[in-house]
């Protein structure tokens, strides 16, 4: 007797695509391929659908505490589940920043009550908490340490080499980094005077990203610490990252693979503004080449909601960031449909990659014994992404009007069907991710 049977789907397993039924018991995958006579308390009909290991989004900003007019853990995780995401790692630039055990524990306790999906939270590195980071990264529900090398939303920043090196020497787990060079950002800020968002990639130019990433990689090599470069945006960083695989992993975001300048600023203005910026087409093409060649390890949405009113402020007073946790799956499946990446590479970037990098030993793999987390998708579905569908509290999406081919139709977390056909089911029952 199974708790749940996923019937008649095509499963993306370590053995390739397999047409088999999946039996779930006690929140885990009990069997791949079950006798037709097998009984189950609940059946999810997956005829014509593909069953993927649950999508893990390792970069989101859910704004709680302090900025809950933009989002909170409940609304952000609901948006995630509606988009087929089964777990998230959330960033520390809330108000206050997540930079102590007390603040991390608060988020974990809150998420246990309100999160629709499984979760973990990064701790932000500061000059003041360096000595504590090694202990903080081992707390329940901690995704690891996040270091902002250049300033973005919030006030977390580590921009001097001595503190950076101290942070890298502070613990053991992979450190996630926002890589832009603060000195160059400051120096070039006057470029934005009287300009529109079109100047955003010029202010925060390629050199800002490359200089910062080169410095970070040198320090990582020197200290032997594993680093993770978030939302890479330039062609020039790719060869540096490709040579640094022994000590550095990297992430790409759907928006950097889909939107490009100047088109995105013509159409969306400040609503396309994010850090690091959306750049011109040659960068998008280089990022795709790095997806194909395997340089990128994971895909992260960098879901960074701000309200319409905030985003509509005249540049550069407009805040950087856009929502994305709910649109990650349909946008990327559309790229699959259009031949830019395989479904297997999508799974690698959204499930196995995240599990491998961060040490999620029971997730990221559709295999017996693993958590029964599934993103069930209809590869043939043609639907238009609309603001109405997007449930982030911020109330907008840069992908409004995007014609998607491929859609998440069910989200299953540890055997519980949390979303089916666009409806949330049950109540928030997320649990902290467990790391090796
Ligand atoms: O555009 C961004 N927005 N980039 C970041 O690094 C932070 C994020 C936010 O929190 O708004």
């Amino acid at each position: 007797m199974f708790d749940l049977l996923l019937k008649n789907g095509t499963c993306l397993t370590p053995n390739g695509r397999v047409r088999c039924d999946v039996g779930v018991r006690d929140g885990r995958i009990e069997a791949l391929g079950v006798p037709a006579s097998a009984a189950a308390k609940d059946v999810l009909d997956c005829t014509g659908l593909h069953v993927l290991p649950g999508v893990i989004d390792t970069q989101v900003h859910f704004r709680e505490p302090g900025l809950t007019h933009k989002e909170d853990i409940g609304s952000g995780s609901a948006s995630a589940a509606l988009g087929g995401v089964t777990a998230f790692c959330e960033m520390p630039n809330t108000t206050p920043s997540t930079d102590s055990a007390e603040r991390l524990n608060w988020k974990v306790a809150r998420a246990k009550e309100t999160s629709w999906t499984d979760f973990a939270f990064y701790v932000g590195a500061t000059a003041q908490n360096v000595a504590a980071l090694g202990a903080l990264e081992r707390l329940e529900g901690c995704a690891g340490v996040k270091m902002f090398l250049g300033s973005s939303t919030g006030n977390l920043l580590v921009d001097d080499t001595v503190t950076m090196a101290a942070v890298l020497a502070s613990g053991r787990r992979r450190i996630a980094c926002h890589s832009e060079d603060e000195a160059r950002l400051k120096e070039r800020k006057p470029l934005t005077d009287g300009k529109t968002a079109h100047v955003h990639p010029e202010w925060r130019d390629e050199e800002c990203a490359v200089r910062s990433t080169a410095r970070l990689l040198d320090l990582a090599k020197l200290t032997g610490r594993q680093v993770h470069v978030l939302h890479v945006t330039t062609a020039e960083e790719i060869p540096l990252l490709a040579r640094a695989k022994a000590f550095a992993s990297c992430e790409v975001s759907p928006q950097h693979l889909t939107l490009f300048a100047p088109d995105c600023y013509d159409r969306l203005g400040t609503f396309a503004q994010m850090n690091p910026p959306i750049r011109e087409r040659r960068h998008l093409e280089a990022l795709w080449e790095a997806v194909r060649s395997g340089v990128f390890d994971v895909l992260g949405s960098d879901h960074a909601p701000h309200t319409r009113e905030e985003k509509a402020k005249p540049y550069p007073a407009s805040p950087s960031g856009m929502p994305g946790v709910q649109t990650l799956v349909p946008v990327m499946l559309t790229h699959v449909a259009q031949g830019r990446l395989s479904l297997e590479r999508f799974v690698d970037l959204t499930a196995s990659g995240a599990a491998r990098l961060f040490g999620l030993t029971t997730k990221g793999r559709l295999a017996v014994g693993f958590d029964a987390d599934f993103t069930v998708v209809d590869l043939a579905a043609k639907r238009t992404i609309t603001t109405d569908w997007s449930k982030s509290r911020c109330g907008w999406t840069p992908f409004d009007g995007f014609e998607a081919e491929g859609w998440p139709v069910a989200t299953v977390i540890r055997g519980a069907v949390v979303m089916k056909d666009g409806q949330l089911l049950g109540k928030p029952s997320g649990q902290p991710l467990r790391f090796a």
Side-chain angles (χ1 to χ4, degrees):
M1 179 67 132
F2 294 107
D3 296 329
L4 175 69
L5 255 185
L6 287 87
K7 281 192 90 97
N8 303 324
T10 300
C11 300
L12 274 277
T13 79
N15 292 319
R17 296 184 195 206
V18 182
R19 281 289 300 271
C20 66
D21 296 347
V22 184
V24 173
R25 195 180 296 145
D26 295 333
R28 295 188 311 136
I29 300 173
E30 184 79 16
L32 288 182
V34 300
S37 58
K41 290 179 199 152
D42 203 1
V43 172
L44 189 63
D45 181 10
C46 296
T47 306
L49 305 176
H50 283 72
V51 181
L52 318 182
V55 168
I56 302 164
D57 189 344
T58 45
Q59 190 186 178
V60 302
H61 303 263
F62 283 170
R63 310 301 193 200
E64 187 173 4
L67 303 164
T68 53
H69 63 289
K70 303 177 199 266
E71 196 78 283
D72 63 23
I73 295 168
S75 62
S77 64
S79 183
L82 288 165
V85 171
T86 56
F88 64 83
C89 299
E90 203 258 356
M91 288 298 167
N93 58 334
T94 44
T95 306
S97 303
T98 318
D99 58 4
S100 67
E102 187 193 352
R103 289 171 179 176
L104 176 80
N105 292 339
W106 186 89
K107 277 192 176 178
V108 172
R110 180 78 179 144
K112 283 179 180 172
E113 287 169 4
T114 63
S115 182
W116 286 89
T117 71
D118 285 352
F119 54 83
F121 298 96
Y122 291 97
V123 164
T126 68
Q128 290 71 42
N129 71 4
V130 180
L133 291 174
L136 290 173
E137 69 173 11
R138 292 200 300 274
L139 295 175
E140 183 194 34
C142 185
V145 171
K146 160 83 180 271
M147 178 158 64
F148 280 90
L149 278 63
S151 44
S152 190
T153 303
N155 53 15
L156 286 168
L157 179 65
V158 176
D159 63 343
D160 68 287
T161 307
V162 173
T163 311
M164 261 178 225
V167 171
L168 292 183
S170 67
R172 299 174 64 95
R173 295 178 66 186
R174 184 177 299 276
I175 299 192
C177 300
H178 179 114
S179 184
E180 290 184 284
D181 187 79
E182 182 66 10
R184 188 168 171 92
L185 287 179
K186 278 207 189 107
E187 185 187 300
R188 294 173 68 80
K189 183 75 204 294
L191 282 175
T192 61
D193 290 348
K195 296 280 171 42
T196 68
H198 284 82
V199 82
H200 200 59
E202 204 181 316
W203 165 31
R204 308 180 83 107
D205 70 349
E206 288 91 336
E207 184 60 23
C208 282
V210 175
R211 199 180 279 185
S212 168
T213 296
R215 171 156 79 149
L216 175 65
L217 296 179
D218 281 349
L219 278 175
K221 190 172 183 184
L222 209 68
T223 55
R225 185 73 181 268
Q226 293 284 326
V227 296
H228 179 57
V229 184
L230 298 158
H231 42 38
V232 173
T233 57
T234 71
E236 288 76 9
E237 286 166 282
I238 306 295
L240 304 180
L241 291 161
R243 281 197 294 273
K245 286 318 244 184
F247 47 88
S249 55
C250 53
E251 174 198 81
V252 66
S253 301
Q255 51 275 46
H256 291 116
L257 290 170
T258 310
L259 308 175
F260 55 90
D263 169 82
C264 65
Y265 302 108
D266 292 343
R267 289 190 299 111
L268 302 166
T270 51
F271 287 73
Q273 175 193 336
M274 67 172 293
N275 304 330
I278 313 276
R279 305 188 190 278
E280 74 231 34
R281 219 182 177 121
R282 82 173 175 92
H283 292 291
L284 175 143
E285 277 155 16
L287 299 180
W288 272 112
E289 188 47 40
V291 168
R292 278 188 289 274
S293 66
V295 174
F296 283 119
D297 298 282
V298 289
L299 191 76
S301 74
D302 191 15
H303 178 84
H306 300 282
T307 65
R308 281 175 184 277
E309 294 68 33
E310 291 163 341
K311 289 295 276 183
K313 286 183 186 167
Y315 184 82
S318 43
S320 292
M322 54 179 77
V325 73
Q326 194 174 334
T327 47
L328 181 154
V329 172
V331 167
M332 293 309 295
L333 289 183
T334 306
H335 289 304
V336 171
Q338 295 175 354
R340 290 188 197 90
L341 82 163
S342 66
L343 192 58
E344 285 75 6
R345 181 68 169 125
F346 174 80
V347 168
D348 182 46
L349 286 166
T350 57
S352 26
R356 171 172 56 81
L357 293 190
F358 295 98
L360 296 163
T361 50
T362 61
K363 296 207 185 280
R365 197 166 157 93
L366 211 167
V368 169
F370 279 71
D371 285 0
D373 294 349
F374 310 109
T375 300
V376 183
V377 300
D378 181 354
L379 294 182
K382 291 194 175 167
R383 279 188 58 173
T384 305
I385 293 177
T386 59
T387 294
D388 213 35
W389 173 71
S390 167
K391 289 292 177 267
S392 166
R393 183 164 296 154
C394 72
W396 63 280
T397 163
F399 293 107
D400 185 42
F402 182 95
E403 291 180 12
E405 190 169 349
W407 201 261
V409 293
T411 307
V412 181
I413 303 174
R414 288 171 284 97
V417 182
V418 169
M419 182 279 281
K420 188 161 179 277
D421 297 328
Q423 300 300 316
L424 292 172
L425 302 174
K427 58 180 184 29
S429 309
Q431 288 187 5
L433 291 171
R434 287 176 207 287
F435 300 90

